[in-house]
Amino acid sequence: MKFQRPQRRDVSIEITPLIDVVFLLLIFFMVTSTTVRENILSIMLPEAQGEVATQTNDDIQILVSSDGVVMVNDVRLETLSRDTVTKHITATFPNYPDARVVLGGDADVRHATIVLVLDALAEIGITNVSILVREATRN
């Protein structure tokens, strides 16, 4: 008597749905995560009262420390001169005349340094400049 052998099923694991789920999770976390802009230059802003302005990613942020270090969007400039500031901004930002500049200076920064940066911005035609301060404590 001849017995029929049971047929073996081909066992395989489909990984295509697993890859789809992993990519969807990756896209979800990339879209929902926020980017944190870390300031490398530590400055102590002066206090002031007034309206709170919103900041966008298209803004050009210029930080000046009390020892004369100037950083433009987290890039440290080699020297402090009007030419260095103008060359860096015109080379890095193609839409610089229409950009909004947020200027932040340490509370102990020399007035001449801020004026030098403002002169450089005026030389290349930037007129939309905001001064970065911290909110004054109310007594």
Side-chain angles (χ1 to χ4, degrees):
M1 175 185 255
K2 207 172 186 186
F3 292 105
Q4 192 176 24
R5 290 187 172 196
Q7 291 182 349
R8 287 189 162 176
R9 289 186 177 175
D10 186 23
V11 177
S12 65
I13 298 174
E14 292 289 329
I15 64 168
T16 306
L18 177 68
I19 292 172
D20 289 344
V21 168
V22 169
F23 278 128
L24 284 173
L25 284 172
L26 178 68
I27 290 170
F28 172 77
F29 286 119
M30 285 174 53
V31 169
T32 59
S33 68
T34 59
T35 58
V36 176
R37 178 180 241 171
E38 293 184 28
N39 290 330
I40 301 169
L41 192 62
S42 177
I43 60 173
M44 182 63 133
L45 295 172
E47 291 183 354
Q49 293 179 355
E51 283 186 32
V52 177
T54 58
Q55 221 174 337
T56 63
N57 290 335
D58 297 333
D59 292 348
I60 300 172
Q61 186 177 30
I62 301 175
L63 298 175
V64 182
S65 71
S66 59
D67 56 348
V69 176
V70 177
M71 294 188 70
V72 180
N73 280 9
D74 299 333
V75 176
R76 183 180 178 154
L77 301 183
E78 317 83 50
T79 58
L80 176 61
S81 70
R82 190 175 357 174
D83 290 337
T84 307
V85 174
T86 57
K87 285 179 185 175
H88 180 76
I89 290 177
T90 55
T92 309
F93 305 101
N95 64 338
Y96 66 88
D98 299 327
R100 188 176 90 175
V101 174
V102 178
L103 178 61
D106 194 67
D108 297 329
V109 73
R110 292 183 58 224
H111 184 70
T113 307
I114 298 293
V115 171
L116 182 134
V117 173
L118 288 172
D119 280 346
L121 296 174
E123 183 178 313
I124 57 176
I126 295 178
T127 58
N128 191 1
V129 179
S130 298
I131 304 293
L132 188 63
V133 294
R134 63 186 162 112
E135 188 174 357
T137 55
R138 298 179 189 207
N139 295 331

